[in-house]
Amino acid sequence: MNTAAITLAAGEASEHRGLIISLFGVFVVATLVITIWAGRQTKDAADFYAGGRQFTGFQNGLAVSGDYMSAASFLGIAGAIALFGYDGFLYSIGFLVAWLVALLLVAEPLRNSGRYTMGDVLAYRMRQRPVRTAAGTSTIVVSIFYLLAQMAGAGVLVSLLLGITSDGGKIAIVALVGILMIVYVSIGGMKGTTWVQMVKAVLLIAGALLLTFLVLLKFDFNISDLLGTAADKSGHGAAFLEPGLKYGATGTSKLDFISLGIALVLGTAGLPHILIRFYTVPTAQAARKSVIWAIGLIGAFYLMTLALGFGAAALISPEEITSSNKAGNTAAPLLALHLGGVDSTWGAILLATISAVAFATILAVVAGLTLASSSSFAHDIYANVIKKGQASEKQEISAARWATVGIGAVSIVLGALARDLNVAGLVALAFAVAASANLPTILYSLFWKRFTTQGALWSIYGGLVTAVGLVLFSPVVSGKPTSMFPDVDFHWFPLENPGIISIPVGFLLGVIGTLMSKEEPDKGKYAELEVRSLTGTGAH
Amino acid sequence: MATDAPPPSKTEHRLPSTEEFARVQESAEFVELRRSYRSFAFPLTVGFIAWYLLYVLLSNYAGGFMGTKLFGNINVALALGLAQFLTTFLIAWWYARHAAAKLDPKAEVIKSRMEAAE
């Protein structure tokens, strides 16, 4: 890609740089005020980790949506639909259906039996130290992968939208995102993070609604007409509206799509940053209500990305989209510019608004991820493994705050180093690890009487090592032009997503580890967990 | 939506002993609550995952069928994709209704008795 092509969209955008930066500045100032306010309300561990458990189901539903709808959902899916038509839409279906696993099997029992982290539930009836260590490890691995993808995405997005292409500029942006997330989480804790996510969800949904309305208005609300125009302009014709453009090329790519689909649908209910959100409401009923709201909001949002993606395909030439960003990540902002009118004030305002919403999206998600990993470090590893449960509440919160600074610093360094690598695959990897290492142990712990400590350890470490190991030797890391390291080739695993192997491995190892262990499961503890998870007796 | 959450309370309830938990776990009431939860949630989970996988497999291996036009430019693929959205919304609504009518009252009886007992 030559420089002239890169700046095609960026050039249009950089004329409006001042406006974009001011709108973004307003969001940052507003969220910092919220953070400071929330910090003053944060007195004990339940405030820091769980926002005092006083949010309503609706508020938490908004925050869950804000935590979940990342830049990948907004920019990535709209872009994938704009370029690949129907295949882009396939992504969003897995992301949505996944919520039923959380609703039916995980959210309520977790709320009833845990306190602050995913590890609370995994370790409930097991030997604390080894299982907490495993849960903490997998929480931090999943969150860091996810975090890196978001931070690198922030660098790419900002450089495109603001026309910043220098290395120093990109590093500065990664550092800015990192510092903001450290401030949100270490000062505001769960309360601050929740409010930031709620504000972001409202902005994102409002932005998507506005663009959807404008797209439909252009086509007199005739959806068939919109689809037809998109198919014609895409250059693919009717194939644009059928499966196959992105994943249908070969037998391997089809298998990869199945693998991705399974990882998406089973991964969501094992993502630690999502799970800890259920502790912010007072009861299991409120946790249920949060998921119902989240399903409604996220579903509505993904339906709107259809209009955005097909709208972009219908109104903007594919060349213009790919010349701005090969993966189509700037399709939604470009659509805003075209809807308002290129070279018009309206176009500038719309572009700036949608760009600022995209920044807000990234900030809210990275804050949630940082909170999940620092909570798990402080509560699972520091308080329960290192201090063997003897840490005071004050020590625990202070450990969590320092962990936030540490994890933030590590992410800034890794994000800066990875700024030119293609790390988009890391989000799918995070889902695969969550589905392979976390979900089997959560389900067995809650529903399988015989499950033992050894089963939990085999399942967590086995799922984690298999998923990460396969990706290491997959085209995500080496061997293809789109790889993280395109110049070397040590890949032998053909698929980009390890889920189709690693998820069954995680589930199987849980069973084998249990059947082979010599220790008897703790019947009393299981009685406690089962009654508690279904009735809420003794819930925090 | 589903049910209104009971007002939040910050008071710590008495935590029953392990023996009490074990006794309740074997009580007819709890066995009924567990049955009523599992017999709803487990088959439904298998069902929606199978339906989702069917959709993924059709998208992969039944391109011709998926490309069949239904009306205007709306084809089977798009209609089935939207059907996944619709079934997700419906299952969520159905579970919320089942939980409010069949699970919450039973759970509440057990919980309040256990937390009140001396």
Side-chain angles (χ1 to χ4, degrees), chain A residues 85-139:
Chain A
Y86 183 79
D87 272 10
F89 176 49
L90 284 172
Y91 251 107
S92 57
I93 294 173
F95 278 129
L96 178 70
V97 173
W99 279 97
L100 290 177
V101 181
L103 175 68
L104 265 64
L105 302 178
V106 178
E108 296 174 54
L110 178 103
R111 171 63 192 84
N112 276 337
S113 44
R115 196 181 180 113
Y116 304 131
T117 61
M118 178 182 81
D120 287 340
V121 178
L122 300 194
Y124 196 98
R125 59 195 179 101
M126 307 300 170
R127 279 182 282 129
Q128 291 293 308
R129 295 180 70 190
V131 179
R132 292 263 183 197
T133 309
T137 307
S138 111
T139 297

Short mmCIF file of all heavy atoms in Angstrom, two decimals, chain A residues 85-139:
data_model
loop_
_atom_site.label_atom_id
_atom_site.label_comp_id
_atom_site.label_asym_id
_atom_site.label_seq_id
_atom_site.Cartn_x
_atom_site.Cartn_y
_atom_site.Cartn_z
N GLY A 85 -19.61 -8.72 2.51
CA GLY A 85 -21.06 -8.91 2.51
C GLY A 85 -21.50 -9.86 3.60
O GLY A 85 -21.12 -9.71 4.76
N TYR A 86 -22.22 -10.88 3.19
CA TYR A 86 -22.85 -11.79 4.12
C TYR A 86 -21.88 -12.41 5.12
O TYR A 86 -22.21 -12.57 6.30
CB TYR A 86 -23.57 -12.89 3.33
CG TYR A 86 -24.30 -13.84 4.23
CD1 TYR A 86 -25.54 -13.49 4.74
CD2 TYR A 86 -23.74 -15.05 4.60
CE1 TYR A 86 -26.20 -14.33 5.60
CE2 TYR A 86 -24.39 -15.90 5.45
CZ TYR A 86 -25.62 -15.54 5.95
OH TYR A 86 -26.27 -16.37 6.80
N ASP A 87 -20.67 -12.78 4.70
CA ASP A 87 -19.73 -13.44 5.61
C ASP A 87 -19.34 -12.55 6.80
O ASP A 87 -18.98 -13.05 7.86
CB ASP A 87 -18.48 -13.90 4.86
CG ASP A 87 -18.66 -15.30 4.28
OD1 ASP A 87 -19.81 -15.78 4.31
OD2 ASP A 87 -17.68 -15.90 3.82
N GLY A 88 -19.41 -11.23 6.60
CA GLY A 88 -19.13 -10.34 7.72
C GLY A 88 -20.19 -10.47 8.80
O GLY A 88 -19.91 -10.37 10.00
N PHE A 89 -21.39 -10.72 8.35
CA PHE A 89 -22.56 -10.83 9.23
C PHE A 89 -22.47 -12.09 10.10
O PHE A 89 -22.92 -12.11 11.25
CB PHE A 89 -23.80 -10.83 8.34
CG PHE A 89 -25.12 -11.03 9.00
CD1 PHE A 89 -25.47 -10.31 10.12
CD2 PHE A 89 -26.04 -11.94 8.48
CE1 PHE A 89 -26.72 -10.48 10.71
CE2 PHE A 89 -27.28 -12.12 9.07
CZ PHE A 89 -27.61 -11.39 10.19
N LEU A 90 -21.85 -13.16 9.55
CA LEU A 90 -21.73 -14.42 10.28
C LEU A 90 -21.09 -14.23 11.66
O LEU A 90 -21.49 -14.86 12.64
CB LEU A 90 -20.88 -15.41 9.48
CG LEU A 90 -21.56 -16.05 8.28
CD1 LEU A 90 -20.55 -16.84 7.47
CD2 LEU A 90 -22.67 -16.97 8.74
N TYR A 91 -20.07 -13.36 11.72
CA TYR A 91 -19.40 -13.07 12.98
C TYR A 91 -20.38 -12.68 14.07
O TYR A 91 -20.38 -13.21 15.16
CB TYR A 91 -18.51 -11.84 12.77
CG TYR A 91 -17.04 -12.11 12.76
CD1 TYR A 91 -16.34 -12.07 11.57
CD2 TYR A 91 -16.36 -12.35 13.94
CE1 TYR A 91 -14.98 -12.28 11.55
CE2 TYR A 91 -15.00 -12.56 13.92
CZ TYR A 91 -14.31 -12.53 12.73
OH TYR A 91 -12.97 -12.73 12.70
N SER A 92 -21.25 -11.70 13.72
CA SER A 92 -22.08 -11.10 14.75
C SER A 92 -23.07 -12.11 15.31
O SER A 92 -23.47 -12.02 16.46
CB SER A 92 -22.79 -9.87 14.20
OG SER A 92 -23.56 -10.22 13.08
N ILE A 93 -23.44 -13.12 14.52
CA ILE A 93 -24.41 -14.09 15.01
C ILE A 93 -23.81 -14.93 16.14
O ILE A 93 -24.43 -15.12 17.18
CB ILE A 93 -24.93 -14.95 13.85
CG1 ILE A 93 -25.73 -14.05 12.90
CG2 ILE A 93 -25.79 -16.10 14.35
CD1 ILE A 93 -26.17 -14.70 11.64
N GLY A 94 -22.57 -15.39 15.96
CA GLY A 94 -21.89 -16.13 17.03
C GLY A 94 -21.75 -15.29 18.29
O GLY A 94 -22.01 -15.74 19.40
N PHE A 95 -21.36 -14.01 18.10
CA PHE A 95 -21.19 -13.11 19.24
C PHE A 95 -22.50 -12.92 20.02
O PHE A 95 -22.48 -12.69 21.22
CB PHE A 95 -20.74 -11.73 18.75
CG PHE A 95 -19.26 -11.59 18.50
CD1 PHE A 95 -18.78 -11.09 17.31
CD2 PHE A 95 -18.35 -11.96 19.47
CE1 PHE A 95 -17.41 -10.94 17.08
CE2 PHE A 95 -16.98 -11.82 19.26
CZ PHE A 95 -16.52 -11.31 18.05
N LEU A 96 -23.62 -13.01 19.33
CA LEU A 96 -24.91 -12.80 20.02
C LEU A 96 -25.44 -14.08 20.66
O LEU A 96 -25.82 -14.09 21.84
CB LEU A 96 -25.95 -12.24 19.04
CG LEU A 96 -27.33 -12.06 19.68
CD1 LEU A 96 -27.31 -10.91 20.69
CD2 LEU A 96 -28.41 -11.82 18.65
N VAL A 97 -25.48 -15.18 19.88
CA VAL A 97 -26.03 -16.44 20.39
C VAL A 97 -25.30 -16.87 21.66
O VAL A 97 -25.88 -17.43 22.59
CB VAL A 97 -25.97 -17.54 19.30
CG1 VAL A 97 -26.37 -18.89 19.86
CG2 VAL A 97 -26.86 -17.17 18.13
N ALA A 98 -23.98 -16.56 21.72
CA ALA A 98 -23.15 -16.89 22.87
C ALA A 98 -23.76 -16.44 24.20
O ALA A 98 -23.56 -17.07 25.23
CB ALA A 98 -21.79 -16.24 22.71
N TRP A 99 -24.53 -15.35 24.16
CA TRP A 99 -25.09 -14.83 25.41
C TRP A 99 -26.09 -15.76 26.05
O TRP A 99 -26.37 -15.67 27.24
CB TRP A 99 -25.71 -13.44 25.16
CG TRP A 99 -24.62 -12.44 25.17
CD1 TRP A 99 -23.97 -11.91 24.10
CD2 TRP A 99 -23.98 -11.93 26.32
NE1 TRP A 99 -22.97 -11.09 24.52
CE2 TRP A 99 -22.95 -11.07 25.87
CE3 TRP A 99 -24.16 -12.10 27.69
CZ2 TRP A 99 -22.11 -10.41 26.75
CZ3 TRP A 99 -23.33 -11.42 28.56
CH2 TRP A 99 -22.33 -10.59 28.09
N LEU A 100 -26.65 -16.67 25.25
CA LEU A 100 -27.61 -17.62 25.85
C LEU A 100 -26.89 -18.58 26.79
O LEU A 100 -27.47 -19.01 27.79
CB LEU A 100 -28.34 -18.39 24.75
CG LEU A 100 -29.35 -17.56 23.93
CD1 LEU A 100 -29.96 -18.40 22.84
CD2 LEU A 100 -30.44 -16.99 24.84
N VAL A 101 -25.63 -18.93 26.49
CA VAL A 101 -24.88 -19.79 27.41
C VAL A 101 -24.72 -19.06 28.74
O VAL A 101 -24.93 -19.63 29.82
CB VAL A 101 -23.49 -20.15 26.83
CG1 VAL A 101 -22.73 -21.06 27.79
CG2 VAL A 101 -23.61 -20.79 25.47
N ALA A 102 -24.35 -17.78 28.66
CA ALA A 102 -24.20 -16.99 29.88
C ALA A 102 -25.53 -16.90 30.63
O ALA A 102 -25.58 -17.05 31.85
CB ALA A 102 -23.69 -15.60 29.53
N LEU A 103 -26.61 -16.70 29.90
CA LEU A 103 -27.92 -16.53 30.55
C LEU A 103 -28.40 -17.82 31.21
O LEU A 103 -28.82 -17.82 32.37
CB LEU A 103 -28.96 -16.08 29.51
CG LEU A 103 -30.40 -15.96 30.01
CD1 LEU A 103 -30.53 -14.82 31.01
CD2 LEU A 103 -31.37 -15.73 28.85
N LEU A 104 -28.34 -18.93 30.47
CA LEU A 104 -28.95 -20.15 30.97
C LEU A 104 -28.08 -20.89 31.99
O LEU A 104 -28.61 -21.56 32.87
CB LEU A 104 -29.26 -21.10 29.79
CG LEU A 104 -30.69 -21.00 29.25
CD1 LEU A 104 -30.96 -19.65 28.66
CD2 LEU A 104 -30.96 -22.08 28.21
N LEU A 105 -26.76 -20.82 31.83
CA LEU A 105 -25.91 -21.69 32.64
C LEU A 105 -24.97 -20.97 33.60
O LEU A 105 -24.54 -21.56 34.59
CB LEU A 105 -25.06 -22.60 31.72
CG LEU A 105 -25.84 -23.49 30.76
CD1 LEU A 105 -24.88 -24.28 29.90
CD2 LEU A 105 -26.77 -24.43 31.51
N VAL A 106 -24.60 -19.74 33.33
CA VAL A 106 -23.47 -19.19 34.08
C VAL A 106 -23.81 -17.98 34.97
O VAL A 106 -23.45 -17.96 36.15
CB VAL A 106 -22.31 -18.82 33.12
CG1 VAL A 106 -21.15 -18.20 33.87
CG2 VAL A 106 -21.84 -20.05 32.36
N ALA A 107 -24.52 -16.98 34.43
CA ALA A 107 -24.64 -15.69 35.13
C ALA A 107 -25.20 -15.83 36.55
O ALA A 107 -24.61 -15.33 37.51
CB ALA A 107 -25.50 -14.73 34.32
N GLU A 108 -26.32 -16.50 36.70
CA GLU A 108 -26.97 -16.54 38.01
C GLU A 108 -26.22 -17.39 39.03
O GLU A 108 -25.99 -16.95 40.16
CB GLU A 108 -28.42 -17.01 37.86
CG GLU A 108 -29.25 -16.04 37.04
CD GLU A 108 -30.65 -16.57 36.78
OE1 GLU A 108 -31.34 -16.92 37.74
OE2 GLU A 108 -31.02 -16.64 35.60
N PRO A 109 -25.82 -18.64 38.67
CA PRO A 109 -25.05 -19.42 39.64
C PRO A 109 -23.76 -18.71 40.06
O PRO A 109 -23.38 -18.73 41.23
CB PRO A 109 -24.71 -20.72 38.89
CG PRO A 109 -25.64 -20.79 37.75
CD PRO A 109 -26.10 -19.41 37.45
N LEU A 110 -23.11 -18.04 39.10
CA LEU A 110 -21.88 -17.33 39.41
C LEU A 110 -22.16 -16.20 40.39
O LEU A 110 -21.45 -16.03 41.38
CB LEU A 110 -21.28 -16.77 38.11
CG LEU A 110 -20.01 -15.95 38.24
CD1 LEU A 110 -18.81 -16.78 37.82
CD2 LEU A 110 -20.05 -14.68 37.42
N ARG A 111 -23.21 -15.43 40.13
CA ARG A 111 -23.56 -14.32 41.02
C ARG A 111 -23.83 -14.83 42.43
O ARG A 111 -23.43 -14.23 43.41
CB ARG A 111 -24.79 -13.58 40.49
CG ARG A 111 -25.37 -12.54 41.45
CD ARG A 111 -24.36 -11.44 41.70
NE ARG A 111 -24.72 -10.57 42.82
CZ ARG A 111 -24.46 -10.83 44.09
NH1 ARG A 111 -23.85 -11.95 44.43
NH2 ARG A 111 -24.80 -9.97 45.03
N ASN A 112 -24.51 -15.97 42.54
CA ASN A 112 -24.87 -16.49 43.85
C ASN A 112 -23.69 -17.07 44.61
O ASN A 112 -23.65 -17.02 45.83
CB ASN A 112 -25.92 -17.59 43.71
CG ASN A 112 -27.33 -17.02 43.62
OD1 ASN A 112 -27.57 -15.89 44.08
ND2 ASN A 112 -28.25 -17.77 43.05
N SER A 113 -22.72 -17.66 43.89
CA SER A 113 -21.69 -18.36 44.64
C SER A 113 -20.35 -17.66 44.72
O SER A 113 -19.55 -17.98 45.59
CB SER A 113 -21.51 -19.78 44.10
OG SER A 113 -21.49 -19.76 42.70
N GLY A 114 -20.09 -16.70 43.85
CA GLY A 114 -18.79 -16.05 43.89
C GLY A 114 -18.83 -14.75 44.66
O GLY A 114 -19.88 -14.29 45.11
N ARG A 115 -17.64 -14.15 44.81
CA ARG A 115 -17.55 -12.90 45.54
C ARG A 115 -17.09 -11.78 44.61
O ARG A 115 -17.81 -10.83 44.36
CB ARG A 115 -16.59 -13.10 46.70
CG ARG A 115 -16.66 -12.07 47.76
CD ARG A 115 -15.62 -12.37 48.84
NE ARG A 115 -15.69 -11.37 49.88
CZ ARG A 115 -16.09 -11.64 51.12
NH1 ARG A 115 -16.45 -12.85 51.46
NH2 ARG A 115 -16.13 -10.67 52.01
N TYR A 116 -15.85 -11.92 44.08
CA TYR A 116 -15.29 -10.86 43.24
C TYR A 116 -14.76 -11.33 41.89
O TYR A 116 -14.69 -10.55 40.95
CB TYR A 116 -14.12 -10.17 43.94
CG TYR A 116 -14.43 -9.61 45.29
CD1 TYR A 116 -13.60 -9.88 46.38
CD2 TYR A 116 -15.54 -8.80 45.50
CE1 TYR A 116 -13.87 -9.35 47.63
CE2 TYR A 116 -15.82 -8.28 46.75
CZ TYR A 116 -14.98 -8.56 47.81
OH TYR A 116 -15.25 -8.05 49.04
N THR A 117 -14.32 -12.58 41.79
CA THR A 117 -13.63 -13.01 40.56
C THR A 117 -14.19 -14.34 40.05
O THR A 117 -14.93 -15.02 40.76
CB THR A 117 -12.12 -13.22 40.80
OG1 THR A 117 -11.97 -14.26 41.78
CG2 THR A 117 -11.44 -11.97 41.28
N MET A 118 -13.76 -14.69 38.82
CA MET A 118 -14.11 -16.00 38.28
C MET A 118 -13.50 -17.10 39.14
O MET A 118 -14.09 -18.15 39.36
CB MET A 118 -13.58 -16.08 36.84
CG MET A 118 -13.82 -17.40 36.16
SD MET A 118 -13.13 -17.42 34.49
CE MET A 118 -11.41 -17.76 34.84
N GLY A 119 -12.29 -16.84 39.66
CA GLY A 119 -11.59 -17.82 40.49
C GLY A 119 -12.39 -18.22 41.73
O GLY A 119 -12.27 -19.35 42.22
N ASP A 120 -13.22 -17.30 42.25
CA ASP A 120 -14.05 -17.63 43.42
C ASP A 120 -14.92 -18.85 43.15
O ASP A 120 -15.11 -19.69 44.02
CB ASP A 120 -14.98 -16.45 43.76
CG ASP A 120 -14.23 -15.29 44.37
OD1 ASP A 120 -13.12 -15.51 44.87
OD2 ASP A 120 -14.77 -14.18 44.33
N VAL A 121 -15.47 -18.93 41.94
CA VAL A 121 -16.36 -20.04 41.63
C VAL A 121 -15.55 -21.30 41.28
O VAL A 121 -15.87 -22.39 41.74
CB VAL A 121 -17.30 -19.67 40.45
CG1 VAL A 121 -18.20 -20.83 40.09
CG2 VAL A 121 -18.14 -18.46 40.85
N LEU A 122 -14.47 -21.12 40.52
CA LEU A 122 -13.66 -22.28 40.13
C LEU A 122 -13.06 -22.95 41.36
O LEU A 122 -12.91 -24.18 41.41
CB LEU A 122 -12.53 -21.86 39.18
CG LEU A 122 -12.94 -21.22 37.87
CD1 LEU A 122 -11.77 -21.17 36.91
CD2 LEU A 122 -14.08 -21.97 37.22
N ALA A 123 -12.67 -22.15 42.36
CA ALA A 123 -11.95 -22.72 43.50
C ALA A 123 -12.90 -23.07 44.65
O ALA A 123 -12.46 -23.60 45.67
CB ALA A 123 -10.89 -21.73 43.99
N TYR A 124 -14.20 -22.81 44.49
CA TYR A 124 -15.14 -22.91 45.62
C TYR A 124 -15.02 -24.21 46.39
O TYR A 124 -14.91 -24.23 47.60
CB TYR A 124 -16.58 -22.75 45.11
CG TYR A 124 -17.56 -22.45 46.21
CD1 TYR A 124 -17.96 -21.15 46.46
CD2 TYR A 124 -18.09 -23.46 47.01
CE1 TYR A 124 -18.85 -20.85 47.48
CE2 TYR A 124 -18.98 -23.17 48.03
CZ TYR A 124 -19.35 -21.86 48.25
OH TYR A 124 -20.23 -21.58 49.26
N ARG A 125 -15.03 -25.33 45.68
CA ARG A 125 -15.01 -26.61 46.40
C ARG A 125 -13.70 -27.35 46.18
O ARG A 125 -13.62 -28.55 46.38
CB ARG A 125 -16.21 -27.46 45.99
CG ARG A 125 -16.28 -27.79 44.50
CD ARG A 125 -17.67 -28.29 44.21
NE ARG A 125 -17.88 -28.61 42.82
CZ ARG A 125 -17.86 -29.85 42.32
NH1 ARG A 125 -17.60 -30.87 43.09
NH2 ARG A 125 -18.10 -30.05 41.05
N MET A 126 -12.68 -26.63 45.72
CA MET A 126 -11.40 -27.27 45.41
C MET A 126 -10.34 -26.82 46.41
O MET A 126 -10.56 -25.93 47.21
CB MET A 126 -10.94 -26.88 44.00
CG MET A 126 -11.97 -27.13 42.93
SD MET A 126 -12.39 -28.87 42.87
CE MET A 126 -13.78 -28.85 41.76
N ARG A 127 -9.13 -27.42 46.29
CA ARG A 127 -8.01 -26.91 47.08
C ARG A 127 -7.70 -25.52 46.55
O ARG A 127 -7.48 -25.32 45.36
CB ARG A 127 -6.82 -27.86 46.95
CG ARG A 127 -6.97 -29.06 47.90
CD ARG A 127 -5.77 -29.97 47.82
NE ARG A 127 -5.84 -30.79 46.63
CZ ARG A 127 -4.85 -30.92 45.73
NH1 ARG A 127 -3.73 -30.26 45.91
NH2 ARG A 127 -4.99 -31.70 44.67
N GLN A 128 -7.71 -24.53 47.47
CA GLN A 128 -7.68 -23.13 47.06
C GLN A 128 -6.45 -22.73 46.26
O GLN A 128 -6.58 -22.18 45.16
CB GLN A 128 -7.78 -22.22 48.30
CG GLN A 128 -9.12 -22.27 48.98
CD GLN A 128 -10.22 -21.67 48.10
OE1 GLN A 128 -10.11 -20.57 47.59
NE2 GLN A 128 -11.28 -22.43 47.89
N ARG A 129 -5.25 -23.02 46.80
CA ARG A 129 -4.07 -22.39 46.20
C ARG A 129 -3.82 -22.84 44.75
O ARG A 129 -3.64 -21.98 43.89
CB ARG A 129 -2.86 -22.57 47.10
CG ARG A 129 -3.07 -21.83 48.42
CD ARG A 129 -1.92 -21.98 49.35
NE ARG A 129 -0.74 -21.25 48.87
CZ ARG A 129 0.46 -21.39 49.43
NH1 ARG A 129 0.64 -22.25 50.41
NH2 ARG A 129 1.47 -20.69 48.97
N PRO A 130 -3.80 -24.14 44.47
CA PRO A 130 -3.52 -24.49 43.06
C PRO A 130 -4.60 -24.00 42.10
O PRO A 130 -4.29 -23.50 41.00
CB PRO A 130 -3.46 -26.02 43.07
CG PRO A 130 -4.05 -26.46 44.35
CD PRO A 130 -3.87 -25.33 45.32
N VAL A 131 -5.88 -24.10 42.49
CA VAL A 131 -6.94 -23.71 41.55
C VAL A 131 -6.99 -22.19 41.38
O VAL A 131 -7.20 -21.69 40.27
CB VAL A 131 -8.31 -24.28 41.99
CG1 VAL A 131 -9.39 -23.85 41.02
CG2 VAL A 131 -8.24 -25.80 42.06
N ARG A 132 -6.78 -21.45 42.47
CA ARG A 132 -6.73 -19.98 42.35
C ARG A 132 -5.59 -19.56 41.43
O ARG A 132 -5.73 -18.63 40.63
CB ARG A 132 -6.48 -19.35 43.73
CG ARG A 132 -7.62 -19.50 44.68
CD ARG A 132 -8.45 -18.26 44.69
NE ARG A 132 -9.52 -18.38 45.66
CZ ARG A 132 -10.59 -17.61 45.66
NH1 ARG A 132 -10.74 -16.69 44.75
NH2 ARG A 132 -11.52 -17.77 46.56
N THR A 133 -4.44 -20.23 41.58
CA THR A 133 -3.30 -19.89 40.72
C THR A 133 -3.67 -20.12 39.25
O THR A 133 -3.41 -19.28 38.39
CB THR A 133 -2.07 -20.75 41.08
OG1 THR A 133 -1.87 -20.66 42.49
CG2 THR A 133 -0.82 -20.29 40.35
N ALA A 134 -4.30 -21.28 38.99
CA ALA A 134 -4.68 -21.59 37.61
C ALA A 134 -5.70 -20.58 37.09
O ALA A 134 -5.58 -20.06 35.97
CB ALA A 134 -5.26 -23.00 37.54
N ALA A 135 -6.71 -20.27 37.91
CA ALA A 135 -7.76 -19.33 37.48
C ALA A 135 -7.16 -17.96 37.22
O ALA A 135 -7.50 -17.29 36.24
CB ALA A 135 -8.86 -19.26 38.53
N GLY A 136 -6.26 -17.52 38.12
CA GLY A 136 -5.62 -16.22 37.95
C GLY A 136 -4.79 -16.19 36.67
O GLY A 136 -4.85 -15.23 35.90
N THR A 137 -4.05 -17.28 36.43
CA THR A 137 -3.22 -17.34 35.22
C THR A 137 -4.08 -17.22 33.97
O THR A 137 -3.80 -16.42 33.08
CB THR A 137 -2.45 -18.69 35.16
OG1 THR A 137 -1.76 -18.85 36.40
CG2 THR A 137 -1.48 -18.72 34.01
N SER A 138 -5.14 -18.01 33.92
CA SER A 138 -5.93 -17.98 32.69
C SER A 138 -6.68 -16.66 32.55
O SER A 138 -6.83 -16.14 31.44
CB SER A 138 -6.83 -19.22 32.61
OG SER A 138 -8.15 -18.88 32.74
N THR A 139 -7.12 -16.07 33.66
CA THR A 139 -7.76 -14.75 33.59
C THR A 139 -6.80 -13.72 33.00
O THR A 139 -7.16 -12.95 32.10
CB THR A 139 -8.18 -14.26 35.00
OG1 THR A 139 -9.16 -15.15 35.52
CG2 THR A 139 -8.76 -12.85 34.95
#
